[in-house]
Amino acid sequence: MKFNKKMIIGCVVTAVCVSVGVSSITRIKAATTEKTLFDGISTNMDYSQENADVMSSNPYDYIKYSEEYKNLITLGKEALPQLKNILETQDGDLNSYMIALAMEEIAGVNIYEETNVDWSTSKEFLNAWNVYEKKITVNQDDTRIKKSAPTKNNTVNEDIVVLPYRFSNFYKRIICRDCEKARFDENFKDSFGNKRQYGIKFCNYHINNTALEAEFVDYGYTDYNCLAYALGETGPCNWMWPSSWSDKPSVECVNDYFVGEGYTTEAYSEEKQDIYKEKKAIYVYGVKEKESNEYYVVHFARTDLIDGSDIGEYAQVSKWGMGGIYKIKNVNGYVEKSGYGECVLVCYK
């Protein structure tokens, strides 16, 4: 989602870089010289007020305006073995999801279509990518697949040293100085030893321009999104977005996903809010596209806290993208400019 220009008026805007782990690069060592594979890649991304997707859970919103991502794509298939190696040494946060998308774009393939594996996190992508590589090996005569495969010259060998690579500016955000800067949790690390980072606590101005009667609940962490929170999957580095959804998932597509996960689904009915709370339902939110007049899904919320606690007079609770966790008193309490839309589907077990 994007903040409207009017939301920024009166705020002193500052750039906040919320980076996770070690920012470094992949190096290829030659006998007498050292060449950096990512030489020439700019890490300075210009996020304007119009494209600061501070509260989006959709990974495609984070690559939309990233010059760093675009420059990485230009490296071509030579980068694929290194990027795969990087995913093998990182947990499944947003940064890793971005690398997965980059690998697909560089290879010119849709891994979901090639393998029928609907991956939701970068770890699942890595498993699907391995399936894809085996398919390439079996189908050596399939030119459609073969042309997208890493060549022999691009395989990882002893001369290539791969270090953890971070799109440091994927986490660059435009917020006002009254919003609380994200901090690191000194006591909680992911499986690779990286400190987890708390979500951004937004100021009252931004909260009020997102939802009516909203209240801060908890910081959460930047390494999982609203879908992971709605499903209760809030462990370290779990940024979820099924690959079959792409950038603008239809209500039907999301409905099929939840049915496949064992949920009962139905259209939202205001009269059944008490029933939804009893069933600990998940609310699915959508925005209507002007061209097609159809809704596409942008956000997810719960009717209780992760530990099962009741939220009292509040109707729902959710994680706002890279931000913290907030509860609001009305199911359809998001303001129009927030980009979160309205409830289009209810899912429960």
Side-chain angles (χ1 to χ4, degrees):
M1 65 146 261
K2 295 185 279 189
F3 281 122
N4 189 290
K5 283 183 178 180
K6 296 179 181 179
M7 294 177 61
I8 314 293
I9 296 176
C11 292
V12 179
V13 180
T14 61
V16 178
C17 183
V18 185
S19 59
V20 181
V22 180
S23 293
S24 51
I25 51 181
T26 301
R27 299 183 183 277
I28 301 178
K29 291 187 176 181
T32 56
T33 63
E34 186 180 74
K35 177 185 176 183
T36 301
L37 180 62
F38 296 104
D39 273 349
I41 296 298
S42 171
T43 57
N44 297 317
M45 292 186 294
D46 181 18
Y47 280 85
S48 68
Q49 294 174 3
E50 288 81 9
N51 60 35
D53 297 300
V54 292
M55 296 182 185
S56 177
S57 285
N58 185 336
Y60 291 89
D61 288 338
Y62 292 86
I63 65 173
K64 195 179 299 181
Y65 304 102
S66 171
E67 288 302 320
E68 188 179 9
Y69 178 87
K70 294 175 184 177
N71 290 335
L72 179 62
I73 301 303
T74 64
L75 292 175
K77 296 175 184 177
E78 182 184 6
L80 288 175
Q82 286 82 3
L83 292 176
K84 177 186 175 182
N85 197 317
I86 290 167
L87 285 188
E88 292 173 338
T89 59
Q90 288 185 4
D91 271 327
D93 58 1
L94 174 61
N95 183 84
S96 299
Y97 200 110
M98 300 301 104
I99 292 177
L101 292 180
M103 289 178 66
E104 278 196 321
E105 190 166 346
I106 290 171
V109 297
N110 183 311
I111 294 299
Y112 167 60
E113 293 178 354
E114 293 288 348
T115 64
N116 202 32
V117 177
D118 191 9
W119 58 276
S120 297
T121 67
S122 63
K123 287 300 182 185
E124 293 176 0
F125 168 83
L126 190 58
N127 293 333
W129 183 268
N130 290 333
V131 172
Y132 168 65
E133 287 188 330
K134 289 180 181 178
K135 183 178 180 181
I136 294 171
T137 303
V138 173
N139 296 276
Q140 291 293 336
D141 296 328
D142 189 334
T143 57
R144 179 180 60 85
I145 299 174
K146 191 176 181 180
K147 69 178 182 180
S148 298
T151 64
K152 183 177 181 180
N153 292 334
N154 291 332
T155 57
V156 178
N157 57 55
E158 294 179 355
D159 294 328
I160 299 176
V161 180
V162 180
L163 304 175
Y165 182 77
R166 288 282 169 184
F167 294 100
S168 58
N169 283 301
F170 270 130
Y171 303 97
K172 184 177 179 182
R173 298 291 171 262
I174 302 298
I175 59 175
C176 76
R177 68 169 68 234
D178 292 327
C179 291
E180 187 177 311
K181 294 182 179 180
R183 300 170 292 108
F184 285 99
D185 186 339
E186 298 294 332
N187 302 312
F188 202 172
K189 299 180 180 181
D190 64 23
S191 61
F192 289 97
N194 297 312
K195 298 175 184 177
R196 296 187 76 185
Q197 191 166 34
Y198 292 116
I200 300 169
K201 183 178 181 180
F202 300 108
C203 68
N204 289 334
Y205 179 84
H206 284 90
I207 292 173
N208 294 335
N209 278 279
T210 301
L212 302 173
E213 298 183 285
E215 182 178 316
F216 175 78
V217 176
D218 192 14
Y219 289 97
Y221 292 95
T222 59
D223 56 10
Y224 63 86
N225 60 359
C226 69
L227 176 59
Y229 183 78
L231 292 171
E233 301 290 340
T234 59
C237 298
N238 203 28
W239 196 278
M240 300 180 65
W241 197 264
S243 55
S244 60
W245 291 6
S246 193
D247 60 336
K248 289 186 176 181
S250 67
V251 177
E252 180 181 8
C253 182
V254 174
N255 179 82
D256 291 345
Y257 169 81
F258 277 95
V259 170
E261 294 294 317
Y263 286 81
T264 297
T265 62
E266 62 179 68
Y268 171 70
S269 171
E270 187 175 355
E271 291 74 23
K272 298 177 67 175
Q273 285 190 48
D274 291 339
I275 296 176
Y276 296 150
K277 265 201 168 186
E278 291 177 6
K279 292 181 176 293
K280 301 185 183 300
I282 292 175
Y283 291 129
V284 180
Y285 290 82
V287 172
K288 186 174 289 188
E289 194 166 31
K290 293 181 180 179
E291 292 79 9
S292 64
N293 205 35
E294 298 287 337
Y295 284 95
Y296 64 92
V297 173
V298 295
H299 187 60
F300 302 87
R302 297 170 57 96
T303 50
D304 65 337
L305 298 176
I306 289 294
D307 62 4
S309 301
D310 187 80
I311 52 177
E313 61 180 334
Y314 290 85
Q316 57 103 312
V317 58
S318 66
K319 188 170 188 295
W320 291 2
M322 297 287 287
I325 298 163
Y326 295 83
K327 56 185 178 181
I328 63 177
K329 288 189 175 180
N330 299 297
V331 174
N332 282 316
Y334 294 115
V335 300
E336 184 176 357
K337 69 179 71 175
S338 72
Y340 278 160
E342 58 187 290
C343 187
V344 294
L345 189 68
V346 182
C347 312
Y348 54 84
K349 288 186 175 181

